[in-house]
Amino acid sequence: MGPHPAVAAIRLAVRRVLHDVLTEHSENAARYAHSGPGPVSAGEPPLVLVACSGGADSMALASALAFEARKLSVRAGAVTVDHGLQAGSDLRAAEVAARLTAMQLDPVEAIAVRVGRHGGPEAAARDARYAALDDAAMRLGAAAVLLGHTRDDQAETVLLGLARGSGIRSLSGMAAVSGTAGRYRRPFLHLDRQTARKACMVQSLPVWDDPHNADPAYTRSRLRHEGLPALEKALGKGVVEALARTAQLSRDDADALDSWAADADASVRDESGLLDCAKLYALPPAVRRRVLRRAVIQAGAPAGSLFARHVEEVDRLITGWRGQRAINLPGRVEARRQGGRLVIRQG
C-alpha cells in the first residue's frame, strides 16, 4: 500500500524540483569542466536546504525533502530562522532544529536575526529572514533553498498586490523559481495548505502554529481569516484556485512586457545614452513605464522602495509635460526633463 495521497502529493512536488536541481548541477559541472576549475564539482552531490519555521507547510516540505533526497544524489539540510519577536522564540527554534536533525537532515542551522522597522513589521521580518537564508545558502554552498509557500499563500499575495494597485507584476505573485541564480524554489505553489497539514497529520509530524498568523494586527492574517473567507462566501468555492491561475497568467504577461522593455531601451536613447522623450512617448504605456522603472533603478533607486506612483510621476514628464520641476525619487535619485531628454541621476 502506497503513502497517503497528501504525502504522495508533497513528495512528488519535491521530487520534481530536485530533478531540476540535479539537471542544473550536472549542466553547470559540465560547463566548468570545459572552462577550467570552478565552484561546481561533478563528484559532489548538490546541497539543497529547506527553510523551516516549524509550521505545517514547511514541516511537510522538510519531511518530503528528507525522504526524496535519500533516493537521489542530493544532500539535504535545513535552516530555521528565529526572528526574536516572541518570548521563547530561541527555544522554539532549537526545538525545530532538533526535529529537523531527527529527520536526518544535515546540516541544520538555527539562525537568530534582528528584525528592523523598515516597511512595517511583516516586510521587515521577511527582509531579515531572506537575508539570513541568503547568507546560509552562500556560506554552505547550497544549490537551492526550498520554501513552503502554498497555493493559498499565492492567492493572498495576489490580493495584496491588487490592493496596492501596482500592476500585473504584483498580481503575478510568487515565482516558482526566484532569487540569485534561481536559489529559491517553491514546490507547493500548486498545492493547498490543507494538503500540507494533512501530510503532517498522517505522518505524526508535530507542527507549530505561529500566533502571528492569527493576529488581526497583521494585514496578511486579516486577509487569510476574514478577506478570503468573505470572498468565497460571496463568489463560491474556487476563489483560491482562480487567484493562483491569475498569478501565473499575470507572470507570463509581465515577463513578456519586461522582455519588450529591455529590447526597447536601447532604441529610445540618443548617442550620449540619454532617454529621448519623443521616442519614449511613442512606446505603449506599459512598455514605456517599464523602461522608466529600469532607468530609475539603474540610477540608484532601491527597487523595493520604488512604487507605481513614483514611475507615474516620471511618466508625466513624458506624457504631460508642462514645464514641471525635477522629481525626487527614492535613493536620492532625481528625474528631470531637459532639452527633450529625460535626465535621471543621483543628486
Side-chain angles (χ1 to χ4, degrees):
M1 184 177 178
H4 186 279
V7 176
I10 65 169
R11 288 177 178 175
L12 176 60
V14 169
R15 191 183 315 143
R16 287 171 171 165
V17 169
L18 294 184
H19 278 302
D20 290 342
V21 171
L22 283 169
T23 298
E24 294 163 13
H25 180 75
S26 298
E27 291 173 349
N28 289 336
R31 189 177 304 118
Y32 283 116
H34 284 93
S35 60
V40 179
S41 170
E44 185 178 28
L47 171 64
V48 176
L49 300 174
V50 57
C52 185
S53 67
D57 301 341
S58 58
M59 285 297 289
L61 182 58
S63 71
L65 174 61
F67 181 84
E68 293 296 332
R70 287 193 290 267
K71 303 194 299 179
L72 299 169
S73 183
V74 172
R75 293 179 294 137
V79 174
T80 185
V81 177
D82 171 19
H83 298 85
L85 298 176
Q86 302 168 18
S89 62
D90 55 338
L91 298 177
R92 192 173 301 110
E95 183 180 348
V96 171
R99 291 173 183 168
L100 295 169
T101 300
M103 292 180 183
Q104 298 183 327
L105 295 172
D106 181 39
V108 173
E109 293 192 356
I111 302 174
V113 298
R114 176 173 293 182
V115 176
R117 298 182 178 180
H118 181 72
E122 292 169 281
R126 182 176 61 249
D127 290 345
R129 180 168 60 254
Y130 277 101
L133 293 174
D134 279 335
D135 177 72
M138 293 177 65
R139 179 165 39 81
L140 298 171
V145 179
L146 306 189
L147 305 176
H149 297 122
T150 65
R151 186 169 61 193
D152 301 79
D153 297 309
Q154 185 74 297
E156 294 161 8
T157 302
V158 171
L159 286 175
L160 289 170
L162 182 63
R164 286 193 298 267
S166 300
I168 62 171
R169 179 55 73 186
S170 286
L171 295 184
S172 65
M174 297 174 285
V177 179
S178 66
T180 303
R183 171 177 296 151
Y184 294 109
R185 312 293 174 109
R186 297 177 174 87
F188 290 176
L189 284 183
H190 66 289
L191 299 176
D192 61 29
R193 190 174 289 140
Q194 192 57 38
T195 297
R197 185 167 289 275
K198 185 70 174 179
C200 288
M201 186 182 71
V202 299
Q203 295 178 99
S204 299
L205 294 176
V207 300
W208 173 65
D209 290 316
D210 186 345
H212 282 173
N213 290 335
D215 188 343
Y218 295 95
T219 304
R220 188 177 284 269
S221 174
R222 294 195 302 274
L223 181 59
R224 179 174 302 176
H225 297 287
E226 300 172 22
L228 269 172
L231 280 175
E232 291 202 329
K233 183 177 180 180
L235 303 175
K237 295 293 184 180
V239 169
V240 168
E241 292 86 345
L243 288 169
R245 286 196 301 274
T246 296
Q248 185 57 59
L249 293 171
S250 297
R251 181 166 297 279
D252 292 343
D253 290 348
D255 288 346
L257 287 168
D258 285 348
S259 178
W260 187 352
D263 292 340
D265 186 90
S267 69
V268 295
R269 294 182 182 272
D270 63 14
E271 298 80 4
S272 63
L274 292 176
L275 291 165
D276 185 301
C277 294
K279 292 178 180 178
L280 282 168
Y281 186 86
L283 291 175
V287 178
R288 181 176 62 245
R289 286 193 290 268
R290 280 168 168 75
V291 171
L292 295 176
R293 178 179 172 81
R294 283 165 52 92
V296 173
I297 291 173
Q298 288 171 358
S305 301
L306 188 65
F307 303 131
R309 59 183 172 82
H310 295 129
V311 179
E312 288 168 4
E313 289 177 13
V314 178
D315 194 41
R316 277 194 286 273
L317 295 176
I318 309 300
T319 62
W321 175 240
R322 299 290 185 274
Q324 300 98 308
R325 293 182 177 181
I327 296 170
N328 294 319
L329 299 161
R332 298 186 297 107
V333 172
E334 179 185 271
R336 68 167 66 243
R337 179 165 173 157
Q338 191 172 18
R341 300 294 186 268
L342 191 64
V343 181
I344 304 174
R345 61 165 63 102
Q346 274 189 321

